[in-house]
Amino acid sequence: MLKLMKVLYDCGVITGEEVESLDIDMSLVNDLLSKEQLIVKLVKGSQVYFLTDFGEKVYRLNTGKKIFFRCTNKEKMMSLVRFYANLSDEERDTWKSKDVWYTEGYVGAIPDATYLKDGKMYGVYVQTDSTSKELIANVEAFVKERNIANMQYLR
């Protein structure tokens, strides 16, 4: 259950494909659906699972974590969770979403998430058709300021 909830906390969604690739028991997903803590939507032919407000409240009460990844672009969230699922467990354990960075006081454009690998910070940003060159330049300023070893730009 913890792995499933961590993915939802870190990325905002999980797809059926990532449930399988991360070896998450589908009965956990079905249990949360039956308890109305999750909802499922079809996005670009994939089943995508989202926490409901009730599901977020239950997670907050059980973990004390409050800063869920937020994004209105479902395809962007799907790209991010696919990337996340390919990281090692150790890398996922160091995942820090943009929302966490903001609550720590950072202001400005930042990567969608950062994580540590071999003691170095890496970043990931999902570009959309509306991503401006100015926004990328601002993200790059964050990369330089934080000495991020490598930035992955996804589509």
Side-chain angles (χ1 to χ4, degrees):
M1 175 75 74
L2 184 59
K3 186 186 284 188
L4 171 61
M5 297 306 284
K6 182 167 177 9
V7 175
L8 291 163
Y9 178 83
D10 287 344
C11 299
V13 300
I14 190 166
T15 66
E17 292 86 358
E18 277 65 51
V19 167
E20 186 175 320
S21 73
L22 290 169
D23 200 28
I24 295 170
D25 187 342
M26 193 62 188
S27 68
L28 296 172
V29 173
N30 291 330
D31 184 48
L32 292 177
L33 285 167
S34 71
K35 292 177 180 176
E36 297 183 355
Q37 293 179 26
L38 274 185
I39 57 170
V40 62
K41 295 180 181 180
L42 195 60
V43 180
K44 299 244 179 193
S46 293
Q47 286 190 318
V48 182
Y49 301 92
F50 300 82
L51 279 171
T52 63
D53 290 342
F54 176 61
E56 284 187 14
K57 183 176 182 179
V58 169
Y59 188 73
R60 280 188 190 106
L61 290 172
N62 288 319
T63 66
K65 292 187 174 189
K66 296 179 174 136
I67 313 302
F68 288 81
F69 179 82
R70 295 279 186 248
C71 180
T72 57
N73 186 318
K74 311 270 185 281
E75 290 86 7
K76 182 173 182 167
M77 294 168 79
M78 289 171 64
S79 293
L80 194 62
V81 76
R82 284 187 186 112
F83 180 87
Y84 178 93
N86 286 308
L87 296 175
S88 70
D89 288 339
E90 294 79 19
E91 292 163 347
R92 285 192 297 270
D93 285 344
T94 65
W95 186 266
K96 189 179 204 181
S97 75
K98 65 180 176 60
D99 300 295
V100 173
W101 280 103
Y102 288 139
T103 62
E104 292 178 354
Y106 191 83
V107 179
I110 60 175
D112 288 312
T114 58
Y115 61 95
L116 298 176
K117 178 179 180 177
D118 301 324
K120 295 179 182 174
M121 187 180 299
Y122 289 75
V124 59
Y125 186 85
V126 182
Q127 297 180 62
T128 64
D129 292 337
S130 63
T131 303
S132 68
K133 289 180 182 179
E134 180 183 354
L135 180 59
I136 295 298
N138 291 335
V139 169
E140 287 295 324
F142 176 89
V143 168
K144 185 176 180 181
E145 176 187 317
R146 295 293 174 165
N147 295 318
I148 293 179
N150 187 26
M151 255 318 278
Q152 293 284 325
Y153 289 94
L154 309 176
R155 281 218 159 253

